[in-house]
Amino acid sequence: MEEVLTEKWGKFSLNEDENEGVSLDLEEIAPMVQRGRFCLIGKLLADRIVPKDFFKVPLLKAWRPKGTASFQVIGGNLFIVDLEYEEDKDRILAGKPWLFDGNLVSLAVFDGLTPPAKMNFDTEAFWVCMYNLPLACMGKETGQKIGASVGVVQEVDVEEDEPGWGEYLRVKILIDLSKPLARGRMLHVHKQSLWIAFKYKKLPKLCY
């Protein structure tokens, strides 16, 4: 749909009145921006249009907001969630990624200035489990370095200056969904090369 609109816009010519347009300053839209401060914009990344009532109840059950939460469709599988409390918004964002029927529900913070059709849902944060690491490499700095080769590291699941010894090292990484999913990385350390395999938590259908 967006590509069709872009093509039509390229062939569109404006008359003088249309081109002059209407100007708005931030003070005029400030009340609406403030109104949306606890809102989230969501997109269900599915290969079909899913009615709001199908995914609303499962998401609310998973999120368990303390206050009210109202859903409004703003186009296709795109919707806005109006939450009563900021703590609910923060907790939902911290719990990403969220899935419905195996499909990713991508969430973005309301900014009020971006048209829904231009919002970017091409990235999402996933917990990546890194296997076959030497014990001396299961620390915060190593997790950050390997994770940075995949995407933007948001968190390494170890305490500061403490080892993350275990079956794997867990790193939360913001990943570009338009690129092939990384299966792992070769690690070169002390004259040896090791294959570090990745496993992803709560991986949606689109990533397969």
Side-chain angles (χ1 to χ4, degrees), residues 2 4 7 13 41 43 48 62 68 82-83 97 102 107 113 117 121 127 134 151-152 155 165 175 186 191 195 197:
E2 185 176 351
V4 174
E7 182 180 352
S13 59
I41 308 298
K43 185 174 184 179
R48 68 189 190 284
T68 59
D82 189 359
L83 297 158
L107 297 172
L113 299 175
F121 293 95
W127 282 106
V152 179
E155 184 179 350
W165 292 334
I175 294 174
M186 288 299 301
K191 300 179 182 180
W195 173 250

Side-chain angles (χ1 to χ4, degrees), residues 41-146:
I41 308 298
K43 185 174 184 179
L44 177 62
L45 301 182
D47 57 4
R48 68 189 190 284
I49 301 298
V50 179
K52 174 188 66 176
D53 292 340
F54 279 45
F55 58 79
K56 173 183 175 181
V57 173
L59 287 180
L60 287 177
K61 186 176 181 180
W63 292 345
R64 294 180 294 174
K66 293 182 178 180
T68 59
S70 61
F71 284 66
Q72 178 66 47
V73 173
I74 54 178
N77 284 337
L78 199 62
F79 59 93
I80 183 169
V81 186
D82 189 359
L83 297 158
E84 185 177 1
Y85 299 127
E86 184 176 19
E87 63 181 286
D88 285 331
K89 183 192 76 171
D90 293 342
R91 184 165 45 79
I92 291 169
L93 288 173
K96 294 196 309 177
W98 298 99
L99 304 180
F100 167 75
D101 193 26
N103 297 297
L104 179 65
V105 179
S106 188
L107 297 172
V109 176
F110 176 94
D111 71 4
L113 299 175
T114 306
K118 291 190 176 182
M119 292 179 179
N120 186 355
F121 293 95
D122 292 338
T123 59
E124 187 58 75
F126 295 98
W127 282 106
V128 181
C129 299
M130 302 178 177
Y131 288 82
N132 199 37
L133 281 167
L135 292 177
C137 297
M138 300 187 75
K140 196 177 189 72
E141 289 187 3
T142 302
Q144 288 174 336
K145 190 165 186 177
I146 298 175

